Amino acid sequence: MAKVLGAIMMMVSGFATLICVYLYWNSTAHLPYHPIDEESNQIGASKMSLVDTGMLLPIIVALFFLIAGMVIFYSHKEPETK
């Protein structure tokens, strides 16, 4: 049963990690939709870090559960039945 729990934790937290990363990559915090126009002296959108956007904690938690799931999955052995 531990291998099943580890596999489920790996899959769910792996998807959660990917979702968090792609949400950040496709957000306005990472992509400069309005770059700085030096000729007109307008202020454009600058890139924000993971801490500023609040995405760092969800990524850390998802990575923690991914690593925990991998440890559980690869370290436990199921009893042999005949």
Side-chain angles (χ1 to χ4, degrees):
M1 190 67 186
K3 278 193 162 299
V4 174
L5 175 67
I8 291 171
M9 284 178 66
M10 280 193 319
M11 288 187 287
V12 171
S13 60
F15 286 131
T17 304
L18 289 176
I19 288 169
C20 288
V21 168
Y22 287 132
L23 277 175
Y24 174 70
W25 280 348
N26 291 321
S27 70
T28 57
H30 182 71
L31 296 172
Y33 288 113
H34 305 290
I36 297 173
D37 187 8
E38 294 178 5
E39 294 176 3
S40 63
N41 293 327
Q42 293 179 348
I43 299 173
S46 61
K47 292 185 179 183
M48 295 173 64
S49 67
L50 286 171
V51 176
D52 294 336
T53 58
M55 292 298 292
L56 185 64
L57 185 62
I59 290 175
I60 289 174
V61 170
L63 286 173
F64 173 75
F65 280 110
L66 178 68
I67 292 169
M70 291 174 73
V71 167
I72 291 171
F73 183 75
Y74 290 116
S75 67
H76 288 80
K77 296 183 179 180
E78 297 291 329
E80 292 185 20
T81 57
K82 290 185 178 185

